[in-house]
């Protein structure tokens, strides 16, 4: 699944560095959600272990949702760089135009998955909690802070080998 996501990002962004960093943020977000939910499972729910299918199913949901948010933000950033803005300005414009949509969608999705957390089926409860936490992390931290920071730190190298910025 990550290979397919990587190839789609390479084709969409016409770059190699950006897809690597974006896939890394999705993986990091998954592991953060898994760790945070494990603490919740041990302290609040008192589950002794995860169901064997839960990590894989949660991974599939979180990769699909995390990549969507990445595509919204970075595709808009790329559009602005192609239009002549430098990467810094393009990130700020992309955050301003897509941030509200990403945040709203993420909070709504987290609420939907959190409903699974109150079901009497342990597997669905675990998936709901992990994905709910993961979507909130993606929405409120990864897409609004981590990804823009990575883009700004990388600068023009983020788009390598492509060159969407026009040089004067």
């Amino acid at each position: 699944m990550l290979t397919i996501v990587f190839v789609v990002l390479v084709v969409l962004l016409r770059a190699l560095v950006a897809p690597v960093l974006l896939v890394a943020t999705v993986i990091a977000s998954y592991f953060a959600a898994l760790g945070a939910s494990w603490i919740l499972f041990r302290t609040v729910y008192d589950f002794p272990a995860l169901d064997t299918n839960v990590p894989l199913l949660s991974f599939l949901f979180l990769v699909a949702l995390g990549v969507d948010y990445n595509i919204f933000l970075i595709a808009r950033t790329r559009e602005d760089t192609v239009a002549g803005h430098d990467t810094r300005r393009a990130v700020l414009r992309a955050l301003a135009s897509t941030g509200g949509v990403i945040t709203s969608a993420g909070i709504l999705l987290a609420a939907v998955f959190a409903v699974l957390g109150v079901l009497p089926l342990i597997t669905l409860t675990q998936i709901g909690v992990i994905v709910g936490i993961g979507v909130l992390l993606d929405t409120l931290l990864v897409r609004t802070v981590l990804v823009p920071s990575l883009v700004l730190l990388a600068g023009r190298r983020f788009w390598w080998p492509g060159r969407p910025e026009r040089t004067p």
Side-chain angles (χ1 to χ4, degrees), residues 12-16 18 74-87 90 151 155-168:
L12 177 70
L13 301 174
R14 295 179 199 97
L16 290 175
I74 298 303
R76 178 56 196 255
T77 302
R78 188 174 193 292
E79 287 174 12
D80 284 344
T81 57
V82 169
H85 298 287
D86 67 332
T87 301
V151 175
R156 293 176 127 166
R157 294 178 303 249
F158 186 77
W159 307 110
W160 185 87
R163 298 178 123 187
E165 289 183 6
R166 293 184 183 164
T167 53

Side-chain angles (χ1 to χ4, degrees), residues 6 18-19 27 43 49 60 65 74-75 77 85 104-105 119 147-148 152-153:
F6 178 77
I27 294 169
T43 58
L60 294 175
L65 296 170
I74 298 303
T77 302
H85 298 287
S104 301
L119 293 178
V147 170
L152 292 176
L153 285 172

Side-chain angles (χ1 to χ4, degrees), residues 46-81:
D46 199 31
F47 291 152
L50 287 175
D51 185 275
T52 55
N53 295 323
V54 167
L56 176 63
L57 292 172
S58 300
F59 180 76
L60 294 175
F61 280 118
L62 287 174
V63 167
L65 296 170
V67 166
D68 285 349
Y69 297 151
N70 271 335
I71 289 172
F72 291 150
L73 179 64
I74 298 303
R76 178 56 196 255
T77 302
R78 188 174 193 292
E79 287 174 12
D80 284 344
T81 57

Side-chain angles (χ1 to χ4, degrees), residues 103-117:
T103 302
S104 301
I107 290 172
L108 182 65
L109 268 171
V112 168
F113 278 100
V115 169
L116 294 176

